[in-house]
Amino acid sequence: MTGEVGGAGGPDVPTPFDRAERRIWSGRAEACARTYARLCAHTVEALLDAAGGGPGTRILDVGCGSGTVSAAAARGADVYAADAEPGRVEATRRAVPGAGVRVARLPELPYEDGNFDAVLANFALNHVGRPLTARTGLRRITRPGGRVAVTIWRVPAALLGAAGFLGVECSEVFWQHLSGAEEWWAGAEQGIGATGQV
């Protein structure tokens, strides 16, 4: 993963991967909430446990999707959320009316350095073209001593260590997801993800 920071046009210029991801997910917030979001919701409690947030803490949910993480984190914490897809931002606003939700994408998160006690990203790093730059952005907006907790499909902890995080821990989370045929194929029928594009 070396050499990603500032590569090919700088960190603010979308990569071909970024453009493909935006096309794949754009305008599909409701379909995603009924399908893939249910699958990804199983990791929320482990993510919150890893972040260690609580009453009085400032938490940012990056890639907030349908608002599942934001809603769970809102128990006493000041919750902020961001997603690149406007439909998902609206879904999170409905799910967590008190949260400060805005349209923003990794790695260009419009927050001040050290602004949050905890930053959460539930399966968001899978969807960026410059993962190292994105991880560095997450570190930048987290206060010294704060925590960043991410879920990602089977990736070693070295990926966070390369972005300058200290005390990186990695653990696997296993769950059983039961789904009927309609839910399983509805996302693909709506064009969600790579399978839906195919």
Side-chain angles (χ1 to χ4, degrees):
M1 299 298 259
T2 59
E4 292 182 68
V5 177
D12 295 337
V13 177
T15 67
F17 181 82
D18 292 319
R19 288 190 291 276
E21 283 290 306
R22 290 176 197 161
R23 184 184 68 251
I24 288 170
W25 298 99
S26 180
R28 295 177 173 92
E30 289 184 28
C32 187
R34 293 189 314 270
T35 57
Y36 290 102
R38 292 179 182 172
L39 171 66
C40 296
H42 293 284
T43 58
V44 171
E45 291 304 320
L47 186 69
L48 293 174
D49 289 345
T57 58
R58 290 173 57 88
I59 294 177
L60 175 65
D61 176 12
V62 177
C64 58
S66 59
T68 307
V69 173
S70 293
R75 303 172 195 149
D78 294 326
V79 175
Y80 298 82
D83 201 292
E85 217 291 302
R88 293 179 185 200
V89 168
E90 289 307 315
T92 299
R93 282 190 180 128
R94 288 190 302 273
V96 192
V101 189
R102 65 195 306 179
V103 175
R105 68 177 188 268
L106 283 168
E108 302 91 24
L109 295 171
Y111 302 102
E112 295 179 11
D113 293 2
N115 200 37
F116 297 100
D117 299 300
V119 176
L120 313 173
N122 195 34
F123 298 108
L125 292 179
N126 306 62
H127 302 284
V128 295
R130 293 188 179 91
L132 180 56
T133 304
R135 293 187 306 273
T136 302
L138 297 179
R139 191 189 78 225
R140 176 189 66 78
I141 60 176
T142 306
R143 71 165 174 79
R147 303 187 101 180
V148 173
V150 303
T151 52
I152 192 166
W153 304 107
R154 296 202 65 157
V155 175
L159 293 178
L160 290 177
F165 289 98
L166 303 175
V168 175
E169 296 178 22
C170 183
S171 60
E172 290 185 316
V173 178
F174 297 93
W175 68 89
Q176 183 178 23
H177 180 73
L178 301 176
S179 175
E182 183 176 325
E183 179 185 336
W184 189 252
W185 289 109
E189 287 178 340
Q190 296 292 319
I192 295 176
T195 303
Q197 295 297 296
V198 171

